[in-house]
């Protein structure tokens, strides 16, 4: 059986050769863990993903949720899958043993979850959204809120959502109109409409806990006037039993191009004037709470994009090995047999591109998860702070780069399957449709580029940026010990030098108040920065591959050679392409800035 | 009402300012035509496309053809649309008055047809396929075949298909297995299975004429052993009335990601041993006949890709003008109103990119149609031959470049609409799904790259290439008269110089028998060559825009400024990016060539 979700050898490489997962078991929090318990968790995830998530991926696409009598109806296969996921404890994979969790490192819980995202992004979204919502209550909620709402979420009985977007306020959350009035009893009454709320209704849990952004009557304008509320679908009595239905109405379902297994809902809060909500934390701090959870959510989106890319890569790889078509250019004797298409150089190009994008992004996604572990469990406050700063900086890349390039990978997977890939009898077209959401939700591509350039570069006094540059230089230095890696290292060093220069220039513009000019080409900057990061991760992988080869294990030779060739592809085919964007950035090209609306 | 199909001012610019459509009326064949008759044809096309094609574009997507009792069932809106198309004579737009045609230049018939492709690519495919099939009989069929099959096609009573692909033979047509045995009466009996046959069954016409590639018993192996047959769905009696049903069975329908309005069929020929076919032309020449029609079909596919891009561009442009969201970076007062998103520089970038891709490709597509007119009606044999050589060379670009970049344009259109763009309530996601077929059918992207590099460059002793280089140099020279165009001209000249060098080197490799090495990076070559061609077309448009501006017509200023800015975008943001690919080509990079199957 060919692999379909991800390559286990590659995951082991990431965990144990690149990211030192075993080193984490030296820490007190993970002392009960070992490579064996890690692998056992992964095996369980893989088994549930293969047996309960993957089989209904297509069916869920073809039978999207239906609106019936005010509720969303799903195909019956979703609930047993999600139940098994919860039963195995993956919704609490990184939580403490005391909270009923597995107390796994974030690195491992991301690696486990990756299997579900690859198998069925739609079904995996329900627990993912719930994890995000429960995390908000965990960090910012009162003890009573934790008792009433978080506890049943940890038990898997309540699910959650994040309710931000409104019809007139998507990227611009400061324009939210949903209102919350104090009811006098400590609770609030909400009124407003939300759209694109994923998991906003479904029959998978006893209750749904909406984390809703809304404005209090005395709210200052803009982002500093937004508060966070818990708004349950059913009220919860003091004894934990379900009370009456809250005034949250499922106004309708959105019909999407892909990702159809997940309900995307329009929710009306307070149509009947009786929508009960509970303020989380302090007034007017809702958006800052959300943003503190944002890194996590955005890594989740990035990983989703990666795993869709991964699933498509593996499918098209297996297809290319088995599909005979045509002959090589220098052997066109029609009497000879057709060759498997994997032998055609242009097909190898499309596979190598996918491998470079998917495995490069996969490394970055897991690396980000590893930084979360540093942020939470590193030995010193200093180390934890550093980790946080690095993560802040990298998050827009972890979210946006896979969203763009793993979508491109899916485009190539279709191309390899040709006409077959364009039919719904093969899964690759669904991956492509599913993945097209990722550059849009959790902050669009454009928003990520502004977040990086206008905010993250200078956040924490630029500490994250300095740290990243130091890490990349460190990798280049270690790569310098392998003369075989010279041709891979040099393009990265050249890119880094120019990127540093251009970054300083753009930050100088920002400081000088030339804001529109500095931000005009943020999309180009995002590409270059992302390529530098992925190029760095590939050089790091190449070093580990050389080290692996040096061990002389015959069974691993092909794997490491593949790593080195993919690294070569990325560092010589992709990284140098950025000099063109750097030219435009360095020259403060104003083609887009000066384009006038009336000229279109 | 905003424009939805294409921009009429842009079409007028192409026809009358760039491509000299009026000049064609000086020729004998078009002497009865004038700008007025041209515009009248366009107005009619636009009206039918808007009123009968566009309204059911989404419905046809949501209600794809159904297989019922051995036939394909379509939604009822398709037939009236196609009937109106035929009634107006667009299936014979370029045919002679004597044949019931409009005797329009190819340039005009393409321009008319573009409206239908933009409005509804699925419904427009039925007449397009019929035009391809009828053209084959027109050129290569016997008088009797013309009488029996072509005449009813010209009358719009019979439709047609092109039946090439088989389950094991897509790109590699030499491996076809469908057989044709002489029946002794001058007809043949066919046996074989074809897949992905667009329009292979439908209720739109009295009969369907399949143009089928098959092998005769004495066929030599490979592409030189393929013959072309007419295989009607219903036999046709001597008096032209329909005879009995032929042994062509609709085995099933393919369910596609997009382009769902067009039936994609599996057809079984001769399951009951009685499939009657008629040899077209000489034995074993079928593939060469097909290839002589290929330019036309591939321009048609390119135009389809362009028009899907165009429809998405216009939709997202109108949306961006109307959708308020956020504020400009230097005016973030939350108390101020939100601005229409067209004011955000990154949105302008995505619109400008679409404009540059779509209008650049649109110019090329119509330019190719204009060359067809030269090929058919230029004054001298020499001119007609030159036109043919140029068209041969440009065809892989006209087919592939829009397939890649107008798909990218559709990706941007979705992005501009954000979450809304991802729902099926807006048309842009359908354009994206529809357009994803174009890099696959009528010769995949990979096939186009090999066709260009291994075949077209050297075809006719390289005359097409020399001609093209001369034309581009001529445009650069004329652009040199406008100092305002220096910054646009120079990147093209630099690209052209290096492209010429690299081309010579690769052809040298080919001549030296280093075939695999020379062709290894054909995809990169295709990109660079395509960008050079589109860059040339944009420089040509920029010259016309400068000339237009010089006329001082106030109402046209914005239009010409937009042209100049889009030209600037393409020539400074896109063209210089090719130097990276040229570096890889010049260095004969072998990353993909040396990748091994076992390393994946």
């Amino acid at each position: 059986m060919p692999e379909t979700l991800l390559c286990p050898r590659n995951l082991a490489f990431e965990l144990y050769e690149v990211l030192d997962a075993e080193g984490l078991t030296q820490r007190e929090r993970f002392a009960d863990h070992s490579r064996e318990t890690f692998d056992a968790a992964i095996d369980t995830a893989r088994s549930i993903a293969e047996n309960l998530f993957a089989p209904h991926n297509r069916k869920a696409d073809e039978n999207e949720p239906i609106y019936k009598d005010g509720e969303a109806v799903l195909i019956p296969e979703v609930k047993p899958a999600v139940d098994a996921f919860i039963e195995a404890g993956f919704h609490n994979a990184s939580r403490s043993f005391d909270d009923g969790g597995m107390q796994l490192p974030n690195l491992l819980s991301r690696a486990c979850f990756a299997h579900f995202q690859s198998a069925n992004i739609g079904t995996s979204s329900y627990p993912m959204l719930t994890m995000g919502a429960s995390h908000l209550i965990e960090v910012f909620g009162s003890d009573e809120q934790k008792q009433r709402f978080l506890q049943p979420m940890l038990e898997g009985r309540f699910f959650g959502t994040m309710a931000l977007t409104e019809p007139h306020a998507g990227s611009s959350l400061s324009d939210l109109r949903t209102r919350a009035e104090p009811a006098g009893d400590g609770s609030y009454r909400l009124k407003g409409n939300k759209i694109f709320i994923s998991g906003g209704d479904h029959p998978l849990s006893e209750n749904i806990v909406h984390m809703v952004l809304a404005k209090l009557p005395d709210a200052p304008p803009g982002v500093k006037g937004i508060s966070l509320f818990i708004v349950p679908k059913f009220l919860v009595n003091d004894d934990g039993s379900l009370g009456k239905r809250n005034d949250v109405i499922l106004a309708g379902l959105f019909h999407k191009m892909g990702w159809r297994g997940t309900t995307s809902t329009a929710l009306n809060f307070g149509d009947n004037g009786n929508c009960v909500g509970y303020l989380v934390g302090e007034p007017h701090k809702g958006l800052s709470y959300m943003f503190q959870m944002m890194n996590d959510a955005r890594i989740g989106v990035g990983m989703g994009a990666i795993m869709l890319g991964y699933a498509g890569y593996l499918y098209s790889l297996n297809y290319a090995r088995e599909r005979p078509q045509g002959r090589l250019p220098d052997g066109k004797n029609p009497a000879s047999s057709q060759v498997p298409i994997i032998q055609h150089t242009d097909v190898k190009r499309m596979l190598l591109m996918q491998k470079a994008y998917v495995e490069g992004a996969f490394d970055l996604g897991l690396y980000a998860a590893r930084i979360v572990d540093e942020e939470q469990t590193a030995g010193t406050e200093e180390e934890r702070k550093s980790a946080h700063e690095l993560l802040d900086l990298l998050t827009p890349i972890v979210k946006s780069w896979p969203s763009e390039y793993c979508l491109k990978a899916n485009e190539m997977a279709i191309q390899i399957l040709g006409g077959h890939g364009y039919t719904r009898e093969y899964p690759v077209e669904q991956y492509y449709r599913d993945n097209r959401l990722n550059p849009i939700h959790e902050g669009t591509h454009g928003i990520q580029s502004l977040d990086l350039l206008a905010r993250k570069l200078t956040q924490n006094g630029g500490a994250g940026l300095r740290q990243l540059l130091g890490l990349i230089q460190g990798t280049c230095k270690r790569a310098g010990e392998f003369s075989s890696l010279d041709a891979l290292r040099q393009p990265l060093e050249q890119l880094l030098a120019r990127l540093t220069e251009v970054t300083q220039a753009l930050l100088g513009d920002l400081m000088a108040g030339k804001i529109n000019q500095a931000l005009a080409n943020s999309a180009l900057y995002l590409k270059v920065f992302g390529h530098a990061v992925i190029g760095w991760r590939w050089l790091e992988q190449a070093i580990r591959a050389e080290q692996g080869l040096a061990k002389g294990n015959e069974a691993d030779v092909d794997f490491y050679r593949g790593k080195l060739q993919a690294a070569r592809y990325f560092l010589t085919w992709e990284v140098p392409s950025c000099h063109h964007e750097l030219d435009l950035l360095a020259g403060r090209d104003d083609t887009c800035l000066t384009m006038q609306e009336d000229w279109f």
Side-chain angles (χ1 to χ4, degrees), chain A:
Chain A
M1 274 283 288
E3 295 299 333
T4 58
L5 303 182
L6 55 75
C7 167
R9 179 67 188 87
N10 187 41
L11 178 56
F13 173 73
E14 288 297 341
L15 294 179
Y16 305 119
E17 296 171 68
V18 180
L19 298 172
D20 188 25
E22 281 183 282
L24 288 167
T25 63
Q26 305 301 313
R27 295 185 182 169
E28 193 186 335
R29 182 171 172 84
F30 308 122
D32 287 350
H33 280 293
S34 63
R35 180 161 177 168
E36 285 67 37
T37 63
F38 290 166
D39 287 346
I42 287 168
D43 284 348
T44 305
R46 181 182 173 178
S47 168
I48 296 174
E50 281 183 350
N51 295 317
L52 289 167
F53 278 66
H56 70 277
N57 190 45
R58 172 60 72 175
K59 185 175 175 185
D61 179 70
E62 288 176 348
N63 300 274
E64 62 185 343
I66 293 168
Y67 177 93
K68 194 177 172 192
D69 302 334
E71 311 252 335
V73 181
L74 309 185
I75 59 169
E77 288 84 350
V78 180
K79 187 160 168 48
V82 171
D83 285 349
F85 177 96
I86 288 167
E87 179 68 25
F90 286 113
H91 63 310
N92 294 328
S94 283
R95 287 203 172 89
S96 303
F97 295 128
D98 290 347
D99 292 328
M102 297 190 211
Q103 209 160 311
L104 280 169
N106 193 274
L107 173 60
L108 265 294
S109 59
R110 283 279 178 213
C112 289
F113 194 68
H115 294 78
F116 301 101
Q117 293 177 300
S118 181
N120 190 325
I121 195 77
T123 293
S124 72
S125 294
Y126 295 104
M128 181 162 141
L129 291 158
T130 302
M131 292 186 270
S134 63
H135 203 27
L136 269 174
I137 303 176
E138 198 163 19
V139 177
F140 302 108
S142 67
D143 286 344
E144 197 210 324
Q145 287 167 348
K146 287 182 197 172
Q147 179 60 32
R148 202 177 287 245
F149 299 106
L150 176 62
Q151 190 54 38
M153 291 170 96
L154 298 185
E155 292 165 19
R157 295 189 293 111
F158 290 9
F159 278 23
T161 76
M162 315 284 263
L164 286 69
T165 302
E166 299 180 5
H168 54 278
S171 294
S172 182
L173 285 172
S174 63
D175 292 284
L176 290 181
R177 289 185 197 148
T178 297
R179 300 281 156 185
E181 302 268 349
D185 62 353
S187 72
Y188 293 78
R189 294 296 172 273
L190 277 79
K191 185 155 183 52
N193 307 312
K194 299 280 180 182
I195 59 169
F196 301 147
I197 308 309
S198 295
D201 197 60
H202 55 70
L204 303 174
S205 57
E206 298 171 21
N207 201 356
I208 300 175
V209 180
H210 305 292
M211 305 305 295
V212 181
L213 291 183
K215 290 182 175 177
L216 291 166
D218 62 344
V223 292
K224 288 176 182 162
I226 296 171
S227 304
L228 178 65
F229 296 86
I230 291 171
V231 182
K233 178 175 174 181
F234 291 97
L235 299 181
V236 179
N237 299 321
D238 289 345
D239 65 356
S241 64
L242 289 192
K244 66 173 179 149
R245 178 77 190 249
N246 200 359
D247 182 12
V248 180
I249 292 169
L250 177 65
L253 298 176
F254 290 95
H255 302 288
K256 306 190 294 296
M257 172 165 66
W259 210 299
R260 294 190 190 179
T262 305
T263 51
S264 179
T265 64
L267 296 178
N268 290 357
F269 295 89
D271 270 6
N272 303 309
N274 200 21
C275 175
V276 179
Y278 310 96
L279 179 69
V280 178
E282 296 175 41
H284 316 319
K285 296 220 168 155
L287 204 62
S288 72
Y289 297 159
M290 276 285 177
F291 268 101
Q292 288 178 60
M293 297 295 107
M294 211 65 104
N295 286 346
D296 211 52
R298 288 180 173 172
I299 297 171
V301 169
M303 283 298 298
I306 294 160
M307 298 319 297
L308 287 167
Y310 217 142
Y313 165 54
L314 291 179
Y315 197 93
S316 64
L317 174 61
N318 294 327
Y319 183 90
R321 289 191 200 282
E322 288 172 9
R323 167 75 175 173
Q325 192 72 187
R327 291 155 192 85
L328 300 186
D330 61 355
K332 283 228 171 257
N333 174 7
S336 66
S337 301
Q338 299 198 73
V339 301
I341 60 172
I342 197 169
Q343 293 186 21
H344 295 299
T345 303
D346 196 54
V347 174
K348 288 197 274 187
R349 174 184 67 84
M350 293 189 281
L351 289 169
L352 201 48
M353 180 193 275
Q354 288 183 75
K355 182 178 170 75
Y357 290 172
V358 168
E359 292 183 7
F362 187 66
D363 175 280
L364 176 64
L366 293 182
Y367 178 79
R370 184 67 172 78
I371 308 176
V372 174
D373 286 316
E374 291 305 301
E375 192 186 14
Q376 294 173 349
T377 65
T380 69
E381 172 65 30
E382 181 64 27
E383 287 170 307
R384 294 194 292 274
K385 183 163 163 285
S386 283
H388 180 73
E389 290 163 351
L390 182 61
L391 188 67
D392 266 354
L393 177 67
L394 284 178
T395 296
I397 304 302
V398 178
K399 193 274 174 182
S400 68
W401 201 91
S403 297
E404 179 168 357
Y405 291 94
C406 294
L407 175 65
K408 183 79 187 165
N410 286 149
E411 192 182 325
M412 289 302 106
I414 293 176
Q415 194 66 20
I416 288 173
L417 270 73
H420 297 285
Y422 193 66
T423 71
R424 303 190 323 261
E425 285 168 59
Y426 293 82
V428 287
E429 64 88 26
Q430 185 185 344
Y431 299 142
Y432 181 63
R433 284 188 290 109
D434 288 351
N435 221 348
R436 185 62 191 81
L437 179 58
N438 285 313
I440 297 172
H441 65 167
E442 277 297 336
T444 65
H445 223 61
I447 294 290
Q448 300 300 325
S449 72
L450 293 176
D451 182 46
L452 175 66
L453 187 49
R455 200 159 156 270
K456 294 298 177 63
L457 288 180
T458 53
Q459 206 170 29
N460 309 309
L465 181 60
R466 282 193 300 280
Q467 191 185 163
L468 177 66
L469 294 175
L471 286 166
I472 301 179
Q473 281 154 358
T475 298
C476 288
K477 195 170 168 203
R478 278 184 291 117
E481 294 164 21
F482 301 85
S483 61
S484 56
L485 298 181
D486 284 352
L488 279 61
R489 174 178 50 82
Q490 285 154 0
L492 183 62
E493 287 176 341
Q494 286 157 12
L495 181 66
L496 200 65
R498 285 199 69 197
L499 176 60
T500 306
E501 209 171 280
V502 163
T503 301
Q504 283 164 352
L506 292 175
L507 293 180
D509 281 0
L510 278 176
M511 305 228 326
K514 299 178 193 165
I515 299 175
N516 289 340
Q517 174 187 300
L519 301 182
N521 300 326
S522 58
L524 301 182
Y525 188 82
L526 185 71
K527 182 206 156 172
V528 177
F529 200 95
H531 266 51
V533 169
I534 299 289
W536 162 51
R537 298 310 308 163
W538 265 117
L539 189 60
E540 191 64 46
Q541 290 189 63
I543 293 170
R544 308 303 174 158
E546 286 290 0
Q547 290 168 340
L549 277 176
K551 288 186 190 151
N553 185 347
E554 192 59 38
D556 274 338
V557 169
D558 282 342
F559 174 78
Y560 291 127
R561 290 266 168 239
K563 280 289 177 195
L564 288 167
Q565 199 82 351
R568 179 179 159 194
Y569 174 86
F570 196 81
L571 285 153
T572 63
W573 278 56
E574 295 278 340
V575 163
S577 77
C578 297
H579 288 283
H580 168 60
E581 282 88 5
L582 284 165
D583 288 343
L584 291 168
L585 287 163
R588 308 293 195 285
D589 186 280
D590 65 357
T591 305
C592 298
L593 186 65
T594 59
M595 180 68 186
Q596 300 298 305
E597 183 178 343
D598 292 338
W599 296 355
F600 281 109

